Amino acid sequence: RIRGGSSLSASNDPLIVIDGLAMDNDGVKGVANPLSMVNPNDIETFTVLKDASATAIYGSRASNGVIIITTKKGAAGQKMKVSYDGNVSAGVLTNTLEVMTGDQYREFMGATDLGTANTDWQKEIYRTAISTDHTVSIMGGTKNMPYRASIGLTSQNGVLKTSGMQRVTAAVNLSPSFFDKHLNVNFNAKGMYIHNNYSAGVVGAALAMDPTIPVKGGATNVYGKEYFSKDVMDKFFGGYNQPTTGANYNDPEWTLTFDPNTTNNPVAALNQQSSKANSGAFVGNLELDYQIHGFEDLRLHANFGADYSYGHQRY
């Protein structure tokens, strides 16, 4: 947010302009923010407009402010230079909520039909998230043809196990000039492919799940129910211990079902649910600036742009 919330129903997001091309504010399915399609290593300047002057330039779309991004370009006469930028980072959960251990819960309940485990469900769903980012770029320029191209690869893991994002970005910029620099051309093309793995609904389950039940392996004494045996859990729930609604033992094809009124095993939810999104985007523009011969103070300027994106999420 740049100017705060001004509407209860309409978008309050700022207008994003990349190399002179105004982006679509509807967003891309599976991408949290349109800024994620720009590799930070490609950015030359990042300018925020928040006053009424922004609206005068870009119209009503700019009523929530404008973010203007200009990407890096080559320079005329520059020798070709290849550069690499990379980093590795670690995301660490600094703290968890304090809940009862299995021993504390058994003492608090004073019950004999609980399990014998001491499962820390928060520890079971979180991890240290290692992420990497790599960018290779080539830039330079002949007398009349500056150029720059880059490709980036980002792999970002989440602190929730199985969550993460992988992104590939590519960018090309050509800035030739003709007719003794009277005609200047600026061509930009950027592409992005992003894959997201989501993990939802497990944080609350980790706080509410019975700490006396192990993650796997059965717990035949829990609630005095024989169908909590390892063989039955393997058959119906992939080995994960789950609260159940019971079974009809008189039916030779009897089945066991998860009780929807209880808490799902959060580790099972991480490993047995799949929520993935694949998204792609392309933005490009061709900018022409012509100084009329003999009337150099008179310029003709044209900007042709394209903004294409797709997204698909499957659960």
Side-chain angles (χ1 to χ4, degrees):
R1 294 289 182 267
I2 293 177
R3 303 188 66 186
S6 60
S7 174
L8 295 176
S9 56
S11 173
N12 291 300
D13 295 339
L15 176 68
I16 297 173
V17 180
I18 302 175
D19 287 327
L21 181 63
M23 303 298 297
D24 179 17
N25 269 347
D26 291 338
V28 182
K29 184 67 173 177
V31 179
N33 192 313
L35 290 176
S36 64
M37 71 172 300
V38 181
N39 189 326
N41 292 296
D42 290 336
I43 295 176
E44 181 73 29
T45 62
F46 189 102
T47 306
V48 177
L49 306 180
K50 62 181 178 61
D51 299 320
S53 58
T55 306
I57 300 172
Y58 296 100
S60 60
R61 293 179 301 171
S63 59
N64 295 313
V66 184
I67 294 174
I68 299 177
I69 295 174
T70 302
T71 57
K72 296 176 181 177
K73 299 176 176 61
Q78 182 184 47
K79 291 184 178 180
M80 187 178 72
K81 181 174 67 173
V82 179
S83 61
Y84 165 78
D85 185 271
N87 64 73
V88 178
S89 60
V92 181
L93 196 71
T94 58
N95 202 0
T96 58
L97 292 177
E98 185 176 353
V99 295
M100 289 184 180
T101 65
D103 291 336
Q104 291 170 333
Y105 188 60
R106 278 184 289 268
E107 181 180 359
F108 177 78
M109 294 296 291
T112 58
D113 57 352
L114 296 174
T116 59
N118 276 288
T119 303
D120 186 342
W121 292 102
Q122 293 181 90
K123 184 178 180 180
E124 296 292 338
I125 67 170
Y126 292 121
R127 66 179 175 187
T128 297
I130 304 298
S131 301
T132 59
D133 188 70
H134 309 278
T135 302
V136 176
S137 64
I138 301 173
M139 66 184 302
T142 61
K143 180 180 178 181
N144 295 319
M145 176 65 80
Y147 61 86
R148 186 181 186 275
S150 70
I151 186 167
L153 177 62
T154 300
S155 178
Q156 185 173 9
N157 292 320
V159 291
L160 278 174
K161 294 178 180 178
T162 74
S163 68
M165 178 271 285
Q166 290 79 43
R167 180 186 66 187
V168 179
T169 60
V172 176
N173 172 263
L174 301 174
S175 306
S177 61
F178 306 94
F179 310 127
D180 195 24
K181 296 186 178 181
H182 277 68
L183 175 60
N184 295 296
V185 179
N186 189 22
F187 171 74
N188 291 285
K190 299 174 186 62
M192 179 272 293
Y193 175 80
I194 186 169
H195 173 78
N196 276 299
N197 283 350
Y198 299 106
S199 299
V202 298
V203 176
L207 298 176
M209 191 68 178
D210 184 351
T212 70
I213 300 176
V215 176
K216 275 188 167 185
T220 56
N221 65 327
V222 176
Y223 311 126
K225 304 296 185 182
E226 180 60 31
Y227 54 76
F228 273 89
S229 68
K230 180 181 184 302
D231 291 342
V232 174
M233 290 296 110
D234 288 343
K235 179 179 178 180
F236 293 107
F237 300 115
Y240 292 98
N241 291 320
Q242 293 282 20
T244 64
T245 58
N248 181 7
Y249 296 104
N250 296 322
D251 183 352
E253 298 295 330
W254 65 273
T255 59
L256 194 62
T257 58
F258 169 70
D259 186 352
N261 297 315
T262 59
T263 302
N264 189 7
N265 185 323
V267 181
L270 284 176
N271 296 326
Q272 295 182 320
Q273 292 184 128
S274 174
S275 182
K276 299 181 179 182
N278 297 312
S279 308
F282 168 84
V283 293
N285 66 315
L286 178 65
E287 208 169 359
L288 305 174
D289 189 276
Y290 177 57
Q291 288 180 288
I292 298 178
H293 283 76
F295 300 91
E296 276 72 12
D297 290 335
L298 182 62
R299 309 170 76 104
L300 298 178
H301 192 88
N303 191 357
F304 305 92
D307 178 2
Y308 171 78
S309 62
Y310 72 91
H312 181 260
Q313 187 168 344
R314 180 185 296 272
Y315 175 78

